[in-house]
Amino acid sequence: LHLFHTKTSFIIMYIDSASTKLVCYFTNWSQYRPSSGKFTSGNVDPFLCTHVIYTMATVGPDHQIATVEWNDEIMYKNLNNLKNVNPVMKTLLSVGGVDSFRFIDMVANAANRATFIHSALLFVRTHNFDGLDLAWDYPGHNGSNAEDKQRFTALIQELRAAIEQEALDTKKTPLLLSAKVAALRSVIDIAYEVREISRYLDFISIMTYDYHGSWEKVTGHNSPLFKSYLDKGSHMYHNIDASVSYWISNGAPAEKLLLGFPLYGRTFLLSSTETALGAPANGPAAAGPYTREAGYWSYYEICSFVSMAKVGWIDEQSVPYATQGNVWLGYDNKESYSAKVHWLNSMNLGGASVWTLDLDDFQGQFCSDGAYPLVNHLRNSLGKQAVLI
């Protein structure tokens, strides 16, 4: 039970599962979406998530952490000022993403890593973050060599040591250290020393989405809970159950793992009259008017489509899909979120991570279901509710 006071009222926050995290990412590029799709740190609800992760910072050519957008520091301040409203909320700064190639030179030797670590700890303290999130997509991939698997472990180990020393020196609470990691075992094997990095990280957000998309020739769901009867070969592992189980079998403690919940769906253009899972497809549907990326629709864009589409349910994967004309959409809704929460509880996972807040109906303008309908449902399903008195 947490009781704290704002200027106008008291808020009582009940947390039924104290160990359960709800970690919510949001992106600094969502500020460029048009009209009602525009999202800034001012749109964050400070009572919605246990942890909010600002995405993204990058690694500069001098191996130091660096901003990306012109107004990042303004948005840092606006986000972290929300802790004056809810002191329980934690914030982290994520580094990596599309600029992940910059990790390659930074991790190459101990001196470069030390430069980054010193700059990163100073940076997150200066801007009042509670921790750092590593989002390298991925060690051993995209120009990264095989040795970077071990160098990533070294970076994490050295970060942990520096964090503990900094806390001793400053007498402050130690900074949090997390990572956003791959879900496919073919990537995991090349990228991570799972047992070693898990030892030094506070929590690990598995990207349990993007299992299927318009790059494939048949329809498949973005984030299925289990495999389908159609899955053969390596596709047998393109599901949440397989991914999380693989992380655990390789030595990751279940309580440090967070299940990734996407707030978007992926589309296909059907190339025949078939509409079921595994139907022939050829490319993506048109981009949504706000996210403006072919094959990728935010939940608030999905609401408009689903209201006019034929909605189905994939029983063996516990996820919905929708079709209209030649468009096939695999997405998540409250029912699939509930199924995934039930499963993550059965696995004793540490909680959930959300990609991303700016893709939910954050202002309640599209889905006629209030602000943040999916994340609020996820929060309540995890056993967390805030009560205003």
Side-chain angles (χ1 to χ4, degrees), residues 4-5 26 34 70 94-95 118 122 125 169 183 201 234 255 285 292 303-304 312 324 328 342 349 385:
F4 43 90
H5 182 257
F26 80 93
W70 62 276
S94 190
V95 56
H118 176 76
L122 181 60
R125 286 293 193 197
D169 293 343
L201 294 167
S234 63
E255 65 272 13
R292 299 175 292 181
C303 283
S304 301
Q324 183 184 21
W328 194 98
H342 179 78
L349 302 187
Q385 297 187 37

Side-chain angles (χ1 to χ4, degrees), residues 68 82 113 152 170 247 255 291 304 335 373:
V68 175
L82 293 175
R113 295 193 299 268
F152 187 52
T170 62
W247 272 91
E255 65 272 13
T291 49
S304 301
E335 189 175 359

